[in-house]
Amino acid sequence: MRKCKKIRKEIIFALIEERDFGKEIEEHLIECKECKDLFVYLRSINSASEAIKDKIEEEMEKIDWRRVEREIIDKVKEESRRPLPITPLTNLLSPKYLIPSMAILIILISVFIYKASIPKKRDLFSSSQLVFERMEKVSAKNEILKYFEDSGLLLSNLMEKGGMDKHSLEKSKELLLKKRFINQYLDDFPNAKRIASKIDLIFMEFQMEEEKDEIREIIDKDNLILKINLVKDELKEIGVL
Amino acid sequence: MGSDETKEKCKEIVRRIKDGESEAFSELIPIFKGKIFSVAYGFFKNREEALDITQEVFIRLWKMIKNIEAKDMESWVLKVTKNLCIDHYREKKRRELKEMNANLKKIAKGREDGKEFFQDLLEEALRMIPERQAFAFSLRFFNGMKISEISKIMGISEGGAKSMLFKAINNIRKIMKRERK
């Protein structure tokens, strides 16, 4: 078994690095059906990839590149006609921009002094904008919490029952998709992001039924359920950022 | 990344743009268009999306042209391609969350063994693994890039790139195996 693990790793890396593997592996592939299955799968990946490569070339030939180039140039020209983008400070201080920059700076300082001298009062637009932003963050946090709650429940079930039924497998698939969705919000919560990545890998493992003992070992060794609960508490405590 | 000849050409074009000859920018398009399109197409398998990405990369290149070292231009262009592809992909995934699962099931139910079946299943499984893994996979297998190139584009070490590909292959296999049962 240990030999198989080593050999499977070696076959995958040989494919990644585009190199051949030794005679020992070739001989093993004749004897071991599971490793041979992996080899066949990797060969299929290679031939499917070749077909996709051909498809890319076919698509490239079909494109009217002259038209695409013209469109790009038109867009670039359009961009050049737009007002100056925010340039680095060094550019603003160059002789060409020095006078306009100073004028803008004086106006900004005047506006700042004027604003500071009058009592603050938010206009309707900016406050509704803030409300929307806050609503989005609250709903993102709730989605993340829900993800952890569902994941925790699923993992606890697995630990208790020692197996996975069809419903749990479907749920794990759903949670894999949900993780893709909440990914964009996880950057605000580093601990949650770390734990969610671990859960994600475990759910990937779920797709292979025969490895469930190994999965249980990982969940147990990593104290994953405890960590999920801690992250949930942390999320509830920190409120909306 | 990129031949010395390409680097020299880019250097010359950037110099001319800096001297005020902005039309010289159009000479950069033939140099990079194929590479950008093939990377984006390999990832999306959709011509329109790949063309949109190609266009957007060139607009960004134009905006940043004076701040990019000519020798790093190809690497910069491909990194921007990667970022745009992944951003666009995330946005798309949000819209197609339900559709993805249904597609995978439909393909697996077809059970027509053969190249096309495997290819469809592979493409759908790729959509289910983490975006960065899927992108690295696409660079390696659909664009035939070397590990050193992938590591530069992804902004990780060569070891990191290999391990990312290893995970991608394993994850795809698990998903495919599950769906074919």
Side-chain angles (χ1 to χ4, degrees):
Chain A
M1 190 62 192
R2 183 169 284 181
K3 193 182 176 190
C4 284
K5 263 194 169 176
K6 207 177 147 192
I7 284 184
R8 284 178 204 167
K9 217 172 169 182
E10 178 60 23
I11 305 173
I12 296 177
F13 276 118
L15 174 79
I16 292 171
E17 292 164 19
E18 285 179 286
R19 58 175 167 78
D20 295 328
F21 40 74
K23 228 179 180 169
E24 190 200 349
I25 293 177
E26 272 175 30
E27 280 163 12
H28 178 84
L29 290 180
I30 299 168
E31 294 161 9
C32 177
K33 192 191 170 292
E34 286 200 11
C35 291
K36 195 183 166 190
D37 281 350
L38 172 70
F39 178 66
V40 170
Y41 156 77
L42 294 175
R43 260 211 329 222
S44 309
I45 279 198
N46 233 2
S47 54
S49 302
E50 286 303 320
I52 292 173
K53 266 188 205 170
D54 292 344
K55 211 163 121 188
I56 295 176
E57 273 174 30
E58 270 171 35
E59 279 299 323
M60 286 188 65
E61 278 167 20
K62 279 186 213 160
I63 290 169
D64 178 359
W65 283 108
R66 279 195 179 176
R67 191 178 61 85
V68 174
E69 282 189 32
R70 267 199 312 273
E71 278 174 10
I72 292 171
I73 290 167
D74 286 346
K75 283 258 164 116
V76 165
K77 276 183 186 164
E78 207 181 298
E79 282 296 320
S80 329
R81 279 195 293 269
R82 281 192 188 170
L84 272 176
I86 299 166
T87 46
L89 195 62
T90 45
N91 277 3
L92 287 174
L93 293 177
S94 69
K96 195 175 166 188
Y97 299 124
L98 194 59
I99 295 170
S101 307
M102 292 315 255
I104 291 168
L105 193 66
I106 291 165
I107 293 168
L108 284 176
I109 292 171
S110 317
V111 171
F112 179 75
I113 293 170
Y114 172 73
K115 282 232 167 187
S117 66
I118 54 166
K120 276 181 187 170
K121 198 177 165 187
R122 236 175 231 156
D123 64 56
L124 193 62
F125 174 75
S126 63
S127 46
S128 57
Q129 184 88 346
L130 281 174
V131 172
F132 279 128
E133 276 171 17
R134 196 175 156 74
M135 273 168 64
E136 200 194 340
K137 282 185 175 170
V138 170
S139 106
K141 203 186 93 172
N142 288 341
E143 284 293 324
I144 296 172
L145 261 171
K146 182 90 180 48
Y147 169 81
F148 281 112
E149 257 156 33
D150 291 349
S151 304
L153 213 63
L154 202 57
L155 294 176
S156 306
N157 271 344
L158 173 76
M159 295 303 280
E160 276 168 27
K161 292 180 187 165
M164 295 279 282
D165 53 22
K166 205 180 161 196
H167 173 74
S168 309
L169 278 167
E170 281 302 312
K171 189 77 195 164
S172 72
K173 213 177 276 176
E174 246 175 58
L175 288 167
L176 271 172
L177 290 171
K178 190 160 192 174
K179 163 76 172 29
R180 307 285 89 79
F181 170 68
I182 59 169
N183 257 349
Q184 57 189 319
Y185 302 113
L186 280 172
D187 285 339
D188 290 336
F189 311 101
N191 283 339
K193 190 178 179 180
R194 202 161 35 82
I195 304 296
S197 301
K198 276 194 181 166
I199 298 173
D200 210 36
L201 284 177
I202 300 264
F203 287 160
M204 289 281 188
E205 299 281 333
F206 272 4
Q207 313 303 319
M208 292 269 281
E209 275 180 349
E210 61 264 38
E211 286 179 8
K212 58 182 183 255
D213 287 337
E214 236 174 80
I215 301 173
R216 288 174 64 197
E217 254 181 60
I218 298 169
I219 299 170
D220 197 31
K221 215 172 106 188
D222 277 5
N223 279 328
L224 199 56
I225 295 169
L226 175 70
K227 283 178 187 165
I228 290 174
N229 288 331
L230 289 173
V231 163
K232 268 161 51 188
D233 291 344
E234 187 188 277
L235 283 169
K236 282 174 192 161
E237 268 173 30
I238 51 180
V240 174
L241 296 174
Chain B
M1 206 179 278
S3 68
D4 288 342
E5 199 187 329
T6 309
K7 283 177 189 168
E8 274 308 306
K9 208 169 174 187
C10 290
K11 207 171 160 184
E12 167 67 15
I13 295 170
V14 172
R15 189 191 56 73
R16 281 159 58 201
I17 295 171
K18 281 183 179 170
D19 287 346
E21 194 191 327
S22 52
E23 296 79 12
F25 183 79
S26 62
E27 292 172 36
L28 284 174
I29 301 175
I31 300 177
F32 296 121
K33 67 180 185 197
K35 203 134 202 180
I36 301 170
F37 178 84
S38 61
V39 167
Y41 187 86
F43 192 54
F44 287 109
K45 322 282 178 318
N46 178 301
R47 190 200 300 185
E48 292 312 313
E49 275 165 321
L51 281 174
D52 283 348
I53 298 279
T54 309
Q55 208 169 66
E56 184 60 31
V57 173
F58 279 111
I59 291 169
R60 294 201 181 188
L61 178 63
W62 167 250
K63 286 179 183 167
M64 294 298 292
I65 192 85
K66 290 179 184 172
N67 302 317
I68 303 167
E69 286 276 335
K71 66 177 169 59
D72 301 327
M73 197 172 287
E74 185 170 346
S75 173
W76 186 92
V77 159
L78 291 173
K79 270 185 189 165
V80 172
T81 309
K82 175 206 77 181
N83 292 340
L84 285 172
C85 283
I86 291 180
D87 286 350
H88 189 75
Y89 187 67
R90 280 184 183 151
E91 187 56 39
K92 202 177 153 193
K93 254 187 182 174
R94 278 175 69 175
R95 295 195 301 263
E96 296 174 357
L97 211 59
K98 284 178 188 164
E99 201 186 297
M100 276 162 61
N101 224 0
N103 270 353
L104 199 58
K105 281 205 169 81
K106 213 164 85 186
I107 293 165
K109 267 185 190 162
R111 283 182 188 272
E112 295 163 36
D113 286 320
K115 258 188 189 175
E116 267 181 40
F117 165 70
F118 189 89
Q119 198 179 309
D120 289 345
L121 203 55
L122 171 66
E123 285 177 20
E124 282 302 317
L126 266 172
R127 297 170 73 189
M128 290 190 75
I129 66 172
E131 298 90 358
R132 284 171 62 80
Q133 282 180 23
F135 195 79
F137 183 95
S138 161
L139 291 179
R140 167 65 192 84
F141 294 102
F142 306 154
N143 298 108
M145 284 195 190
K146 291 197 175 87
I147 298 292
S148 57
E149 291 175 291
I150 298 170
S151 75
K152 272 186 192 161
I153 296 171
M154 302 302 293
I156 51 178
S157 66
E158 289 192 18
K162 280 185 209 169
S163 133
M164 192 178 268
L165 286 164
F166 185 84
K167 283 180 189 161
I169 290 173
N170 272 332
N171 288 336
I172 292 167
R173 184 168 182 241
K174 284 170 192 171
I175 293 168
M176 288 170 98
K177 212 171 168 183
R178 176 86 218 147
E179 293 305 327
R180 291 182 89 165
K181 265 182 189 170

